[in-house]
Amino acid sequence: MELFKIIRELTKRKRLKEYCFRMKTNTLCLVGFLTLAGAGAFAAKPVEWAAVGQPSRGQAQAIGTPAAGCLLGAETLEADGPGWQVLRLERKRNYAHPAMIDYIHWLGGRVRDEQLGAMIVGDLSQPRGGPMAFGHGSHQNGLDADILFRLTDQPLTESERERPDLISVVRGQTVDRSLWSGKLERLLEVAASSPQVERIFVNPAIKAHLCKSLPPSRHGWLHKLRPWWGHDEHFHVRLSCPPGSPDCVSQAPPPDGDGCGYEVDSWLKRPTLNIPSDKPNTRNVTLPAQCQSVIQTAGQ
Ligand SMILES: [Zn+2]
């Protein structure tokens, strides 16, 4: 392989991984990874990303991973639409890759058509993605969205929208039957049915409930439901890397099978299934090198 081709390969971590796998060389790969770990990435302060008020112009691109990434050419999710309403607009977290905006529009349409009420959408991403000053460790590359376990037939009041009561639907190791409903179950099922959805995070107690209550013939969609701490008053949708985002790094797909039995049971044995949210994120986050120009063009 010509030298310049090798260098081009080395400019991107995932291409480097592919190269190493293909060529089975160790020394060159080690040098490449060390180079990328130093010069190819940069440390960014969450407050700087949170302070950016506008998306960048240009072709939308999700860059990096949901936990270390950024977003070019974000679109804004409107405050309301058919089948959805958005919370806490003052946070400026209603931005996402157009694939996520289209997904919310689609899911809202399904919710309305099935007469489930309207869904309530929480945080997506910041105008240019990146780490957030408080709360989530992910939601950085425009492909994550939170949706409440709550459906409503009423428009949110201003105070409900800006200071919502986030009510857990979990009691101990199962769902609270006074709050859980067939409509919420259907919302989750429809949300998971899009081929763009890579995984949906829910509290382990919710997954355990569905594993037990649904007949095995209806377990097909449960493999996308991934148990995770928190996620008891909202679920978290993650889309796959969309076309046209060559620097987006995909997570490994969820394991085969429905994840019921041993996997979800092992979660229920953990000492706590909930974690406090909205804690300040004060540590610098190491982001892909491409994100440096995304934040440096702030205001353009
Ligand atoms: Zn989330």
Side-chain angles (χ1 to χ4, degrees):
M1 185 181 280
E2 296 162 40
L3 183 61
F4 84 90
K5 281 190 180 170
I6 294 176
I7 291 168
R8 198 175 60 191
E9 290 273 348
L10 295 184
T11 57
K12 290 185 181 158
R13 191 180 293 267
K14 71 178 178 180
R15 289 190 187 161
L16 177 64
K17 249 193 305 193
E18 288 163 12
Y19 174 82
C20 292
F21 181 77
R22 209 167 56 238
M23 303 301 284
K24 296 187 170 52
T25 61
N26 291 328
T27 310
L28 184 57
C29 290
L30 182 62
V31 170
F33 275 120
L34 290 176
T35 305
L36 284 170
F42 83 107
K45 286 196 174 75
V47 288
E48 291 171 7
W49 287 87
V52 179
Q54 296 294 326
S56 61
R57 293 199 193 102
Q59 181 73 31
Q61 277 195 50
I63 297 170
T65 70
C70 58
L71 175 61
L72 264 176
E75 279 186 11
T76 312
L77 181 62
E78 309 91 321
D80 305 282
W84 88 86
Q85 304 182 68
V86 184
L87 294 178
R88 298 185 291 208
L89 298 163
E90 88 289 355
R91 293 207 209 197
K92 286 188 180 288
R93 294 178 174 181
N94 56 322
Y95 298 86
H97 188 281
M100 176 56 87
I101 303 294
D102 290 349
Y103 171 79
I104 298 286
H105 290 175
W106 168 81
L107 184 57
R110 290 289 304 270
V111 166
R112 181 199 51 190
D113 293 349
E114 295 201 19
Q115 300 185 332
L116 302 177
M119 62 180 185
I120 300 175
V121 181
D123 289 346
L124 279 64
S125 294
Q126 300 175 140
R128 299 192 189 202
M132 294 184 176
F134 59 91
H136 319 278
S138 58
H139 289 249
Q140 294 191 25
N141 66 351
L143 300 175
D144 287 346
D146 289 343
I147 299 171
L148 261 55
F149 283 120
R150 181 180 149 202
L151 291 155
T152 179
D153 293 318
Q154 302 298 323
L156 294 169
T157 65
E158 197 177 319
S159 79
E160 283 172 333
R161 191 189 289 274
E162 298 306 334
R163 291 176 297 284
D165 279 337
L166 302 176
I167 300 168
S168 173
V169 296
V170 168
R171 287 290 172 272
Q173 298 200 330
T174 189
V175 296
D176 181 333
R177 288 176 191 278
S178 68
L179 297 170
W180 190 253
S181 66
K183 286 185 175 181
L184 289 178
E185 182 182 302
R186 182 65 187 150
L187 170 64
L188 260 186
E189 184 174 13
V190 176
S193 70
S194 164
Q196 290 177 286
V197 171
E198 181 188 81
R199 63 213 328 121
I200 295 179
F201 297 103
V202 297
N203 189 275
I206 294 170
K207 172 121 187 188
H209 167 73
L210 293 168
C211 286
K212 273 192 221 137
S213 61
L214 289 173
S217 60
R218 286 194 52 210
H219 279 204
W221 59 281
L222 295 187
H223 83 281
K224 283 192 188 175
L225 288 199
R226 306 300 298 147
W228 202 254
W229 290 278
H231 300 92
D232 56 332
E233 27 81 357
H234 74 273
F235 59 97
H236 173 142
V237 178
R238 176 164 295 161
L239 302 186
S240 310
C241 284
S245 290
D247 298 317
C248 179
V249 180
S250 294
Q251 228 177 322
D256 290 340
D258 58 14
C260 297
Y262 172 78
E263 187 189 38
V264 74
D265 291 348
S266 66
W267 271 91
L268 295 179
K269 289 180 186 140
R270 297 181 189 213
T272 177
L273 299 179
N274 290 309
I275 45 169
S277 57
D278 282 357
K279 285 189 301 183
N281 297 323
T282 51
R283 283 186 309 134
N284 282 353
V285 179
T286 302
L287 298 176
Q290 298 92 322
C291 292
Q292 193 151 17
S293 61
V294 174
I295 195 168
Q296 280 175 350
T297 54
Q300 293 175 25

